[in-house]
Amino acid sequence: MEDLKIQNVNLEESKNLERHRTEGFSGSKTLVVRRGAPIRVGVQLEGRAFDPKTDSLRIKVMLGRRYVIMPVTFSKKVSPRRWKAYIDPEDLDLQNPSIFISSPASAAVGSYGFQLYVFSQGVKKTCAFSKFILLCNPWCREDAVYIPFEDQREEYIQNDSGLLFIGTSINIVSRPWSFDQFEPGVLEACLNLLQVSPQHQKNRNMDYLNRNSPIYISRVVSAMINSQDDRGVLTGKWEGDFKEGVNPSLWTGSGDILTQWADSGYSPVKYGQCWVFAAVMCTVMRVLGIPCRVVTNFNSAHDTNDNLVIEEYYSETGQKLKHSKDSIWNFHVWVECWMNRRDLGPGMEGWQVLDPTPQERSGGVYCCGPAPVKAIKDRRIDLFFDIPFVYAEVNADVHAFLVSKGRVVSHSKDTERVGSLICTKAVGFHRYQNITGDYKYIKSPNSTLQSRSSTMSEDSTSGSSKGVLVVLDLDKAPVAGEPVHFTVKVMNKHRVAKRIKVHLNAQAKEYNHSPSDTFWESHGVVQLAPMEVKVIHQQILPAEYEDVVGDDVINLAVVLEDLASHERVLASEEFNIASPQLAMQIVDADSIVPNKEQVAIVTFTNPFSYPVSGVLTVTGAGLIQGKVNFRMLPLRPGGSVTQRIIFIPNKVGTKMLQARLSLSGISSAIRGFKMVLVSRA
């Protein structure tokens, strides 16, 4: 009788990639599949055909030193809890059988090896070895990361580009970002991130055992994105210069960061700030198969003494002072991942907050979450993980104190400003989706007006409506190159005339710092008849703000002083000035196919009052290899320049072409993007 030998094992890559929705990883040297779904393996036997009466097949699947051995059966019945290997009896070719390997829906994520053994009459005759990478599976109902809507799976797993939202809630800036999860080297870097983690280095067997849980994986990744406790991906830097690395504002995608980290032998990349940490974590989670989205919390509180109160101090002329350890970031960016939370009981499944920006330790390590969004809304601070910290970020009250000669002369409270808007990219659209109501119970539709107004009452403890009311309002969202128009509305609620001194003060600030010195101010006196309302129109000209504003924010405050009683009242607003956009146009946008040269046109018009020059950088995952740079010569005020960009798509689908203009001597970059639909040839 002839020996039975394995001539070849075929992982049937194209069919498996399609079945497992992993076509984006087709460039990987190793087959990429998802747990809870069968992998089809073609076996070509040498010599005689397989005889089920005398021959048998076994498969050994290995992750590190952990392994399972299973017989290959002729039963298609599988369990979502166990490994199973079978031959489909309805599609039986005994010379070239197809074997299906079915993994549990809770199998550990990682890079597996498997061996196929052939036995004849109980004696091992031959074996073959191969490998596959196993990810979480949001398409599988039994998987802890199952998300039930296809458009959400497309957005939160497959979408390799998106928007990050920064600025302020009254002037939101959409920053394009390339998640790059299917770019060369990114998958390997994400898997290596798990291998480099302290949990894996300390106890590899236990780490592999725990990698079945998205809760565990997400905490490991949250800690590994920053480099505070480990060989993590990014070093954070929030002040000083960035000469030893890259200014966080200049990153356009996650791929460069992850591959640089991996290529350097896992030395942290310099530098990141919150949106960079969050965007890179989003990439890693999407690669690992865990649905993920980037979330921005506008006016995010950092409550250092856990009293849910943020204190701010102003001088009698409206200058914001650096008196408090508490702080409010104009925006803070984290991620949400979708998973069930059987560890917390019913009702806590769904979106979970994870924050890789190193702020506070959790379990002794700089990570945060997963904290169920539902638990944050209901202030379930008894549950895991880090719910009190996130709750304060979106719910603290702001107490503003007006100080004169070292003494507090006025005090007001704002319960609406912190967490005024929480948003993420909308599914399938390039705009933001307001998800504030997921985090907190919305109190009042008029909260924005209340937050910008303040009352000078006769008795500050009585809450009397009598006195002088001030409202500070921007006329429209400010744009670079145009005056900032705003109004101060002053209302005398007394039945006697009043003379009121009006102090206006503007300071520039970074989104996460106290303001710097005053760069613009105005002082005057208004006469108010009994019960009179006066509206004061003001403007800050471009020449007055453009030296201090790049990616920065302006803190604008008004202080009214009653010249008779010397009572004072404060109103303030923080806003950003939107940079102009680069205009982008795709030539022949309806006929774009892979491997064919295409053309895009980028146009910039100088909005500044002086000539500018700089470097235009164009990137696009699946469209351009690496980066393309163009130097822009000095451009006069109001002048326009166009640049022709040639790109050759190499992937099918909707891709993002990004352009960034870095101007000499200006801290902000000017951006633009265009979505490009690449059709099959």
Side-chain angles (χ1 to χ4, degrees), residues 298 301 314 584 602:
F298 286 100
Y314 285 83
M584 297 184 69
V602 180

Side-chain angles (χ1 to χ4, degrees), residues 622-640:
L623 300 173
I624 290 177
Q625 291 286 343
K627 296 185 176 79
V628 182
N629 291 319
F630 304 90
R631 183 159 295 282
M632 189 187 78
L633 297 174
L635 182 66
R636 61 179 175 76
S640 292

